[in-house]
Amino acid sequence: MQKTQVYIQDDFWEDYSELIRNTVIPYQWEALNDRIEGAEPSYAIRNFRIAAGLEEGGFGGWIFQDSDLYKWLEAVSYSLRDRPDPELERIADEAVDLIGQAQHDNGYLNTYFTIKEPGKQWTNLYEAHELYCAGHLIEAAVAYYQATDKRKLLDISCRFADLIESLFGTEPGQMRAYCGHQEIELALVKLYGVTGEERYLNLSRYFIDERGSKPNYFVEEWERRGRTSIWNRGTPNLEMYQSHLPVREQTVAVGHSVRAVYMYTAMADLARLTGDDSLREACERLWANVTRKQMYITGGIGATHLGEAFTFDYDLPNDTVYAETCASIGLIFWARRMLQLEAKSEYADVMERALYNNVLGSMSRDGKHFFYVNPLEVWPEASRKNPDKFHVKPVRQKWFGCSCCPPNVARLLSSLSDYIYDVSADGATVYVHLYIGSEIGFAAPDGCLVTLHQRSQLPWQGRTEFSVSLANGAGAAGTAFELALRVPDWFQNGRPVLKVNREIQDYRMENGYAKIERTWLEGDTLEWLLPMEAKLIAAHPQIRANAGKAAIQRGPLIYCVEEADNGAPLASLSMAGEPKLSERLVPDLFGGCIVVEGDGLADDSASWPEGQPYQPLNKQTKPVRFKAIPYYLWGNRQPGEMSVWLRC
Amino acid sequence: MQKTQVYIQDDFWEDYSELIRNTVIPYQWEALNDRIEGAEPSYAIRNFRIAAGLEEGGFGGWIFQDSDLYKWLEAVSYSLRDRPDPELERIADEAVDLIGQAQHDNGYLNTYFTIKEPGKQWTNLYEAHELYCAGHLIEAAVAYYQATDKRKLLDISCRFADLIESLFGTEPGQMRAYCGHQEIELALVKLYGVTGEERYLNLSRYFIDERGSKPNYFVEEWERRGRTSIWNRGTPNLEMYQSHLPVREQTVAVGHSVRAVYMYTAMADLARLTGDDSLREACERLWANVTRKQMYITGGIGATHLGEAFTFDYDLPNDTVYAETCASIGLIFWARRMLQLEAKSEYADVMERALYNNVLGSMSRDGKHFFYVNPLEVWPEASRKNPDKFHVKPVRQKWFGCSCCPPNVARLLSSLSDYIYDVSADGATVYVHLYIGSEIGFAAPDGCLVTLHQRSQLPWQGRTEFSVSLANGAGAAGTAFELALRVPDWFQNGRPVLKVNREIQDYRMENGYAKIERTWLEGDTLEWLLPMEAKLIAAHPQIRANAGKAAIQRGPLIYCVEEADNGAPLASLSMAGEPKLSERLVPDLFGGCIVVEGDGLADDSASWPEGQPYQPLNKQTKPVRFKAIPYYLWGNRQPGEMSVWLRC
């Protein structure tokens, strides 16, 4: 792929960039410094200060608390890349200095083991997240270097990576181990990307290749620890950590969903960079399993909070769901790498689905409250009173002690420009994966520097316009390249209309992309029309939770009904067959959004005999008009019931 | 109430009595002696032998393991009462001797604290079940005495009860405490019943009155223990143990469901025996809450496995349900006491509902396998692979280490004759609560000894016949008394037909009972006709889990669909409106049972596009004939899906 520069210019998304830049990043910095009133302290900065010898005290927070600072730094990097901010960069530089001060002479860097268990380094790969934290350090370092050209954090992470490379591997004296929480694998690929050092790529491949081999490292290590664990009881749960089988033999997604998709992301990277077909096939198999059989319609993954894990094919309960924000972000990471492996629209479809629904919905409109769990059905009283649903919150939470999700949202949304396009190495083909207003600069095959402007009306309307600017004096001759426009899975009305300079043009379809190759002249315009309409969507018959029900989708947005608009219980509401759906822009709702309405029936509870829990069936319904709002906006009014799936 | 003698003579129920007598009681004796291959050992007998000094070793099993032996002895007592069995009585006598040998000189009796924590008696009322075990000892002793006239176990339990009475109470030096698991309260009422000693009644009342008073005993005790607990973390969960409020201030059922209904049982006893109106009102309030808002259609209670507890009004999930067998048995105990407090048919309706569905369904047809959890919807793969449903078993289990339910089933079913009738103290009114073939002897107001024979065709047909035999030479004059026949809640076709000597007779209705008062002559017959038909039943609109669904009920039996008859997924099946239900006796199914069939629709999965989890709605259904079997018989074929509620 060609390295390109992309800038987002999009009303919908700039609201989010601004929110990340002006609210989320500053708020999270306050959180990392334990200055948010009423929120659990993070201890992250304090841990680094103690490890650096600048402060006295004990370790606070989770064993992987360091990663919160690293994820914040990564988000800051993307923000600085888009928009320089000397004051923010100064704060970040100080954080980098602090990290450097906490690093050991041999390159080791982890505040938990520095402060709390100095003698226990590398004795609990299964649970202790040392390599996981190293991975987030590396990701932050790569991003900070790319944004600022400053090498300090990169050097810190290279020193740590070099230590790790010396300790882990198949050579005599090395640990044949890998991390209980995959992350460093994908980070090392990035480190290879900026340094060009193949040993980092090889170390990533080693971790992936070694995982799940027999005898199992986690079991051996647990035996050596005297069969003790921090959180887990009994023999290590190998499926939970995706170490039950060598990765190439894994065919269905199991275990902790974030760990899984982080691992699959690295596998896809390695398959691409090393041309490893067996790894590629494993990725494709696992992709098919996750996205066809274990994914919620919102792009959420992970059906149970116990282990925050996948369960099994078609088990997608809406109300006891996990669908962690971080897991959908990991799914987007993975989808991005699958696109780089092969430009197939299904990868971008999933990326778009997870982004506009599960991920966007996780953040409140004030940028200060987050869902970790993203349910498809909520009954607030059950969330308070039924322990099986305690994890399902009807209201977004402030920064958590285990605040994995908010910094992950920040780093994804602040790097969104990386997800829109791919340009082949020679510049011959420009793939447009997402319809987000933006500008990309690239070099066409003839060397002409091209700027492609995209103006999009997504997610509200499906009309997208492109215009071409040419530099280097291409002049009247123009420059030839192919534009590949994704046909989204939500567009199912035949072939979309494509116009160049207002004239309809034919194109060929390949792997879900509409491809048009021509010699482009300065000022050429392209219109790409994907008219949207609200549709009723059904789930696969094996997904028992959704039998007899339908969801509403309009473009990439999944809709839901809320108690605020439809009363309670929402379960009393039925769409009564297949109603005609109407759409309406409501300017004063959440700053303007399109609601979907239709005719439905509500069970008439007034006719129910007083005091009887069960009675002979005597269906009494009354006509109602139901109103659905985009799922990503749910939970921004008074707490109430919410449901994505409605009886029909 | 008059003390009466009742003998069951009923094809349906004698199968169960025989099963209890010939299989369950012997099997459980083997289990108590750790002689069941493949089952978890009980350790119960072994604990008593060790405590008695007859064997060396450590304590085994749960802290309340003693109660399993007591519950077994109670069941044995009822069985001996109905049918003498010298060999069984000899074994029971030996068990009684063993219990006596384990008793301390001061009357104390508990093998856990004798063997394992001799210094810690009465230091953890919250969790340690000492008074709970004492309660089961007392219940066994009362039953054994009533069955055999042997006083030994009664004397053992009186000595223990006397010790307890000296230790607990409001006098200086006494513990103002009560048990974390209610049970002794109802047992002491029984002990009062056979001994006439008011101090036992007063002790029961003390425990009930003291519960939930401030400052809370469990909290104080926990502080004294240095804030340590066996199972629980943090401050004692007072709601879980129904000690958050004085019992008279409790308005909704909360916490562990078995504890709750055992307590309500004692409350109803005390309200009746002491004429305590405030206690009676509390019972009535809690009864309304449990049976109208927190009870499954099967008579199951307890919506969550976490704490085996009630959650809140109308929260009755079918698939993550608990509905423990013991809880429904406790509900039957409570209903029985409510009937004694006031003969209202709703109490007997609930008793019948829980008995024929949740309780009967808990036992396999071989009497050796039991459900502890009684779900209304089962997907076997989810029970294996989704940890939120690990507690929901698709197949009945062998004896458990914590085997509360099987001995509870045994003691309920072997004492079923106690649940059929009530006769007023003067013999003027005979209430028939349950339609179970049987014979009751009582004294009419004029002293005439009457034998009333009941022949019933329940649960399959609603025709019941009574005949009257008179002794004492009542001769041609006969004897006058009133017969009060319950009109079950499942009979809703106006007034049932009542015939005396084949002539239709009028009657008056009172509290759900049809009352006919006359002078009965030798040989008089009464026919009571409650024609049954299969009906579709809906749930209260607030019970979200059942919205848009119906269950099938025929007489007292709730029905369910199984995969064995209807394929999978069952969620694909819909009754398509309100189908006509047909009934058919299938002689070779489970020894002969009536199945219910109807026309339905199944989602046609063949038309679903390969590999797509979500697609625009395009309802494709095919007509099917669905087949439902009685819920109590589910899970007796190959494991598969089961559902009580069907889309309609």
Side-chain angles (χ1 to χ4, degrees):
Chain A
M1 297 294 168
Q2 189 177 123
K3 282 198 179 166
T4 59
Q5 286 203 307
V6 179
Y7 301 98
I8 290 180
Q9 296 161 334
D10 183 295
D11 286 347
F12 183 84
W13 286 105
E14 279 178 7
D15 282 356
Y16 284 95
S17 322
E18 291 296 309
L19 197 61
I20 299 294
R21 186 176 293 119
N22 299 329
T23 301
V24 179
I25 286 176
Y27 179 84
Q28 293 188 353
W29 179 245
E30 295 304 296
L32 292 168
N33 283 279
D34 308 334
R35 295 190 292 245
I36 304 286
E37 206 175 324
E40 294 177 47
S42 157
Y43 302 108
I45 291 291
R46 188 170 161 269
N47 289 336
F48 274 97
R49 291 185 51 81
I50 295 166
L54 302 172
E55 197 173 321
E56 294 284 309
F59 181 86
W62 291 84
I63 202 167
F64 47 80
Q65 206 70 14
D66 291 359
S67 62
D68 280 358
L69 176 59
Y70 299 146
K71 282 193 271 187
W72 178 81
L73 266 176
E74 189 185 342
V76 166
S77 305
Y78 302 133
S79 178
L80 292 175
R81 186 181 66 176
D82 279 358
R83 187 171 314 177
D85 177 340
E87 174 57 18
L88 181 59
E89 189 166 329
R90 187 191 60 73
I91 293 171
D93 282 341
E94 285 180 15
V96 169
D97 290 343
L98 180 61
I99 293 166
Q101 288 173 281
Q103 187 167 35
H104 296 202
D105 290 342
N106 69 351
Y108 185 83
L109 183 47
N110 183 296
T111 72
Y112 176 86
F113 285 96
T114 302
I115 299 170
K116 194 162 175 183
E117 298 204 79
K120 295 280 179 65
Q121 292 171 11
W122 313 122
T123 59
N124 189 350
L125 274 290
Y126 179 53
E127 296 173 305
H129 287 71
E130 278 164 295
L131 294 172
Y132 168 87
C133 288
H136 277 300
L137 167 66
I138 292 167
E139 284 202 273
V142 169
Y144 201 63
Y145 169 69
Q146 289 178 321
T148 64
D149 278 332
K150 292 180 180 168
R151 288 197 59 95
K152 182 163 184 179
L153 193 60
L154 192 65
D155 291 339
I156 289 168
S157 70
C158 286
R159 285 176 59 213
F160 195 11
D162 293 342
L163 173 69
I164 292 165
E165 200 225 352
S166 72
L167 293 171
F168 292 85
T170 55
E171 297 296 313
Q174 288 186 312
M175 284 183 276
R176 291 195 67 147
Y178 39 86
C179 191
H181 195 315
Q182 302 91 320
E183 151 65 22
I184 195 168
E185 298 84 354
L186 73 89
L188 286 166
V189 173
K190 289 187 175 182
L191 192 59
Y192 160 72
V194 292
T195 63
E197 295 285 353
E198 292 224 351
R199 65 178 189 279
Y200 299 136
L201 187 69
N202 292 336
L203 182 58
S204 172
R205 184 161 54 178
Y206 158 75
F207 284 133
I208 290 291
D209 289 349
E210 186 67 24
R211 196 168 199 92
S213 60
K214 302 274 181 305
N216 187 281
Y217 183 79
F218 293 145
V219 175
E220 294 189 316
E221 181 195 65
W222 172 71
E223 297 281 1
R224 277 198 297 276
R225 280 200 314 275
R227 302 190 164 202
T228 59
S229 292
I230 303 175
W231 299 296
N232 297 281
R233 288 187 196 173
T235 321
N237 184 338
L238 303 183
E239 288 209 348
M240 191 56 78
Y241 292 64
Q242 294 87 30
S243 55
H244 56 302
L245 285 174
V247 302
R248 289 170 183 78
E249 295 172 28
Q250 298 188 20
T251 55
V252 294
V254 295
H256 187 259
S257 54
V258 173
R259 285 172 166 83
V261 287
Y262 280 18
M263 179 175 86
Y264 306 153
T265 298
M267 286 164 61
D269 271 337
L270 291 168
R272 172 173 53 90
L273 292 167
T274 67
D276 185 328
D277 282 342
S278 62
L279 210 47
R280 178 192 181 123
E281 283 158 20
C283 287
E284 288 168 349
R285 245 180 356 247
L286 291 162
W287 176 267
N289 178 259
V290 169
T291 63
R292 295 178 187 178
K293 297 182 177 173
Q294 298 205 68
M295 183 181 71
Y296 288 92
I297 194 170
T298 52
I301 52 174
T304 178
H305 70 118
L306 292 161
E308 307 176 333
F310 290 107
T311 56
F312 65 102
D313 291 356
Y314 302 119
D315 182 43
L316 294 164
N318 295 307
D319 57 346
T320 56
V321 51
Y322 204 67
E324 188 184 348
T325 304
C326 286
S328 281
I329 290 172
L331 179 61
I332 291 171
F333 294 161
W334 182 25
R336 185 73 189 91
R337 305 317 196 276
M338 294 303 286
L339 275 176
Q340 290 173 322
L341 200 50
E342 183 178 16
K344 284 173 70 175
S345 63
E346 67 167 299
Y347 302 131
D349 287 339
V350 167
M351 198 161 77
E352 186 181 67
R353 182 185 293 275
L355 177 65
Y356 281 98
N357 299 290
N358 201 85
V359 174
L360 267 197
S362 71
M363 188 165 66
S364 64
R365 285 170 40 79
D366 69 3
K368 296 179 178 174
H369 300 81
F370 295 86
F371 286 129
Y372 294 65
V373 174
N374 297 279
L376 284 83
E377 183 181 319
V378 169
W379 181 9
E381 195 171 5
S383 294
R384 286 197 311 278
K385 297 183 180 171
N386 184 329
D388 296 313
K389 295 178 186 166
F390 281 174
H391 64 288
V392 177
K393 304 297 181 196
V395 176
R396 292 175 182 80
Q397 309 287 296
K398 282 192 183 177
W399 185 272
F400 274 25
C402 175
S403 63
C404 47
C405 299
N408 245 347
V409 172
R411 69 187 184 125
L412 175 72
L413 295 188
S414 59
S415 62
L416 198 59
S417 57
D418 296 340
Y419 293 79
I420 305 172
Y421 302 98
D422 271 316
V423 178
S424 59
D426 58 4
T429 302
V430 179
Y431 288 93
V432 184
H433 303 309
L434 296 178
Y435 297 106
I436 292 178
S438 55
E439 183 180 300
I440 178 172
F442 66 96
D446 66 1
C448 176
L449 293 183
V450 182
T451 304
L452 185 69
H453 302 268
Q454 179 182 174
R455 278 200 304 276
S456 165
Q457 298 177 340
L458 257 71
W460 305 117
Q461 302 299 340
R463 178 189 182 83
T464 303
E465 293 175 23
F466 295 86
S467 62
V468 176
S469 301
L470 305 179
N472 306 65
T479 186
F481 61 89
E482 181 183 61
L483 204 54
L485 303 166
R486 175 177 139 257
V487 180
D489 57 355
W490 47 262
F491 183 85
Q492 300 196 328
N493 288 336
R495 285 167 74 92
V497 170
L498 187 159
K499 295 182 189 174
V500 175
N501 298 330
R502 307 202 175 179
E503 304 242 327
I504 291 180
Q505 294 286 328
D506 199 15
Y507 52 84
R508 69 188 176 93
M509 286 298 302
E510 191 178 37
N511 283 337
Y513 285 79
K515 291 191 160 181
I516 177 163
E517 187 179 0
R518 57 182 277 144
T519 298
W520 301 87
L521 302 179
E522 172 73 24
D524 274 356
T525 64
L526 184 149
E527 291 160 80
W528 177 235
L529 303 175
L530 303 162
M532 287 180 183
E533 55 178 347
K535 283 185 188 160
L536 294 173
I537 306 291
H540 192 285
Q542 292 285 334
I543 304 177
R544 286 147 179 81
N546 302 333
K549 296 183 175 180
I552 296 168
Q553 181 167 6
R554 186 179 178 282
L557 297 182
I558 304 300
Y559 276 65
C560 68
V561 288
E562 282 200 302
E563 185 177 336
D565 299 310
N566 300 281
L570 287 175
S572 286
L573 193 61
S574 153
M575 295 200 283
E578 305 186 24
K580 189 173 168 328
L581 300 175
S582 67
E583 310 173 355
R584 187 160 60 90
L585 175 67
V586 183
D588 58 354
L589 186 64
F590 310 123
C593 85
I594 290 176
V595 302
V596 175
E597 293 164 318
D599 288 331
L601 294 173
D603 296 337
D604 187 1
S605 57
S607 64
W608 188 266
E610 173 73 19
Q612 295 300 323
Y614 305 104
Q615 275 292 302
L617 180 66
N618 175 23
K619 281 192 185 180
Q620 300 283 331
T621 55
K622 53 185 179 192
V624 291
R625 192 90 182 137
F626 65 79
K627 178 173 166 183
I629 63 160
Y631 173 80
Y632 82 90
L633 290 168
W634 85 274
N636 279 297
R637 293 177 289 183
Q638 66 274 37
E641 294 188 25
M642 182 277 288
S643 187
V644 167
W645 294 94
L646 266 181
R647 287 192 279 134
C648 68
Chain B
M1 297 292 168
Q2 189 178 123
K3 281 198 179 167
T4 57
Q5 286 203 307
V6 179
Y7 301 98
I8 290 179
Q9 297 161 336
D10 183 295
D11 286 347
F12 183 83
W13 286 105
E14 279 179 6
D15 282 356
Y16 284 96
S17 322
E18 292 295 310
L19 197 61
I20 299 295
R21 187 177 291 119
N22 299 330
T23 301
V24 179
I25 287 176
Y27 179 84
Q28 293 189 355
W29 179 246
E30 295 304 295
L32 292 167
N33 283 280
D34 307 334
R35 293 189 294 244
I36 304 286
E37 205 175 325
E40 294 177 47
S42 156
Y43 302 109
I45 291 292
R46 187 169 162 270
N47 290 336
F48 275 96
R49 290 184 52 80
I50 295 167
L54 303 172
E55 197 173 319
E56 295 283 310
F59 180 86
W62 292 85
I63 201 166
F64 48 78
Q65 206 70 16
D66 292 358
S67 63
D68 281 358
L69 176 59
Y70 300 147
K71 282 194 271 187
W72 178 81
L73 265 176
E74 190 185 341
V76 166
S77 304
Y78 301 133
S79 177
L80 292 175
R81 185 180 69 176
D82 279 358
R83 188 172 310 179
D85 177 341
E87 174 58 16
L88 180 60
E89 190 167 329
R90 188 190 62 72
I91 292 171
D93 282 341
E94 285 181 14
V96 169
D97 290 343
L98 180 62
I99 292 167
Q101 289 174 280
Q103 188 167 34
H104 296 203
D105 290 342
N106 69 351
Y108 185 82
L109 183 48
N110 182 296
T111 71
Y112 176 85
F113 285 97
T114 301
I115 299 170
K116 194 161 174 184
E117 298 204 81
K120 294 280 181 65
Q121 292 171 12
W122 313 121
T123 59
N124 189 350
L125 273 292
Y126 179 53
E127 297 174 304
H129 288 71
E130 277 164 295
L131 294 172
Y132 168 87
C133 288
H136 277 299
L137 166 66
I138 292 167
E139 283 203 272
V142 169
Y144 201 62
Y145 169 68
Q146 289 178 323
T148 64
D149 279 330
K150 292 179 181 168
R151 289 197 59 95
K152 182 165 183 179
L153 194 60
L154 192 64
D155 290 340
I156 289 168
S157 71
C158 284
R159 286 177 59 214
F160 196 11
D162 293 342
L163 173 68
I164 292 165
E165 200 225 351
S166 72
L167 294 172
F168 292 86
T170 56
E171 298 295 314
Q174 288 186 311
M175 284 183 273
R176 292 196 68 148
Y178 40 85
C179 190
H181 196 314
Q182 301 92 320
E183 151 65 21
I184 194 167
E185 298 83 356
L186 74 89
L188 286 166
V189 174
K190 288 187 175 182
L191 191 59
Y192 159 72
V194 292
T195 64
E197 296 285 355
E198 292 223 351
R199 66 178 188 280
Y200 298 137
L201 186 68
N202 292 336
L203 182 57
S204 172
R205 186 162 53 177
Y206 159 75
F207 283 133
I208 289 292
D209 289 349
E210 186 67 25
R211 196 168 200 93
S213 59
K214 303 274 180 307
N216 188 281
Y217 183 79
F218 294 144
V219 175
E220 294 189 315
E221 180 195 66
W222 172 70
E223 297 281 0
R224 277 199 297 277
R225 281 200 314 274
R227 303 190 164 203
T228 59
S229 293
I230 303 175
W231 299 295
N232 297 281
R233 287 186 196 174
T235 321
N237 185 339
L238 303 183
E239 288 211 345
M240 191 56 78
Y241 292 64
Q242 293 88 30
S243 55
H244 56 303
L245 284 174
V247 302
R248 288 170 184 79
E249 296 172 27
Q250 298 188 20
T251 54
V252 294
V254 295
H256 187 259
S257 55
V258 173
R259 285 172 166 83
V261 287
Y262 280 19
M263 178 174 86
Y264 306 153
T265 299
M267 286 164 63
D269 271 339
L270 291 167
R272 173 173 52 91
L273 292 168
T274 67
D276 185 327
D277 282 343
S278 62
L279 210 46
R280 179 192 180 124
E281 283 158 20
C283 287
E284 288 168 351
R285 247 183 350 252
L286 290 161
W287 176 268
N289 177 258
V290 169
T291 62
R292 294 177 186 178
K293 297 182 177 173
Q294 299 205 65
M295 183 181 71
Y296 287 93
I297 194 171
T298 52
I301 52 174
T304 177
H305 71 116
L306 292 161
E308 308 177 334
F310 290 107
T311 56
F312 65 101
D313 292 356
Y314 303 119
D315 182 42
L316 294 164
N318 295 307
D319 56 346
T320 56
V321 51
Y322 204 68
E324 187 183 348
T325 304
C326 286
S328 281
I329 290 171
L331 179 61
I332 291 171
F333 294 161
W334 182 26
R336 185 74 190 91
R337 303 319 196 276
M338 294 304 286
L339 274 177
Q340 290 173 324
L341 200 50
E342 183 178 15
K344 284 174 69 175
S345 64
E346 67 168 299
Y347 302 132
D349 287 339
V350 167
M351 199 162 77
E352 186 182 68
R353 183 185 292 276
L355 177 65
Y356 281 98
N357 299 290
N358 201 85
V359 174
L360 268 197
S362 72
M363 188 166 66
S364 64
R365 286 171 39 80
D366 68 6
K368 296 180 180 174
H369 300 81
F370 295 86
F371 285 129
Y372 293 65
V373 174
N374 296 280
L376 285 83
E377 183 180 320
V378 169
W379 181 9
E381 196 170 5
S383 293
R384 286 197 311 278
K385 296 182 180 172
N386 184 330
D388 296 314
K389 296 179 185 165
F390 281 174
H391 63 289
V392 176
K393 305 297 180 195
V395 176
R396 292 175 182 81
Q397 309 286 295
K398 282 192 183 176
W399 186 272
F400 273 25
C402 174
S403 63
C404 48
C405 298
N408 245 347
V409 172
R411 70 187 184 124
L412 176 71
L413 295 188
S414 59
S415 63
L416 198 58
S417 56
D418 297 340
Y419 292 79
I420 305 173
Y421 301 99
D422 272 315
V423 179
S424 60
D426 59 3
T429 302
V430 179
Y431 287 93
V432 184
H433 303 309
L434 295 178
Y435 297 105
I436 292 178
S438 54
E439 183 181 299
I440 178 172
F442 67 97
D446 65 1
C448 175
L449 293 184
V450 182
T451 303
L452 184 69
H453 301 268
Q454 179 184 173
R455 279 202 302 277
S456 165
Q457 297 178 342
L458 256 73
W460 304 118
Q461 301 300 340
R463 178 190 181 83
T464 303
E465 292 176 22
F466 296 88
S467 62
V468 176
S469 301
L470 305 179
N472 308 66
T479 187
F481 62 88
E482 182 184 61
L483 205 54
L485 302 166
R486 176 177 140 257
V487 180
D489 57 354
W490 47 262
F491 183 84
Q492 302 197 325
N493 288 337
R495 286 168 72 94
V497 171
L498 187 160
K499 295 182 187 173
V500 174
N501 298 331
R502 308 205 174 177
E503 304 243 326
I504 290 181
Q505 295 286 327
D506 199 14
Y507 53 83
R508 69 188 175 95
M509 285 298 302
E510 192 178 34
N511 282 338
Y513 285 79
K515 293 191 160 180
I516 177 163
E517 186 178 1
R518 55 182 279 142
T519 299
W520 302 89
L521 301 179
E522 171 73 26
D524 274 355
T525 63
L526 184 150
E527 291 160 80
W528 177 235
L529 303 175
L530 303 163
M532 286 179 185
E533 55 178 348
K535 282 184 188 159
L536 294 174
I537 307 291
H540 192 287
Q542 292 285 335
I543 305 178
R544 287 148 178 81
N546 302 332
K549 296 183 175 180
I552 296 169
Q553 181 167 7
R554 186 178 178 282
L557 297 182
I558 304 300
Y559 276 66
C560 67
V561 288
E562 283 200 302
E563 184 177 334
D565 298 311
N566 301 282
L570 288 175
S572 286
L573 193 62
S574 153
M575 296 200 283
E578 306 185 24
K580 191 175 168 324
L581 300 176
S582 66
E583 310 173 355
R584 187 161 58 90
L585 175 68
V586 183
D588 57 356
L589 187 64
F590 309 124
C593 85
I594 289 175
V595 302
V596 175
E597 292 164 318
D599 288 330
L601 294 174
D603 296 337
D604 188 2
S605 56
S607 64
W608 189 266
E610 173 75 18
Q612 294 301 322
Y614 306 104
Q615 275 292 303
L617 181 65
N618 174 21
K619 280 193 185 180
Q620 300 282 331
T621 56
K622 53 185 180 192
V624 291
R625 191 90 182 136
F626 65 81
K627 178 173 166 183
I629 63 160
Y631 173 79
Y632 82 90
L633 291 168
W634 85 273
N636 278 297
R637 294 177 288 184
Q638 66 276 35
E641 292 187 27
M642 182 277 287
S643 186
V644 167
W645 294 94
L646 266 181
R647 286 192 281 134
C648 67

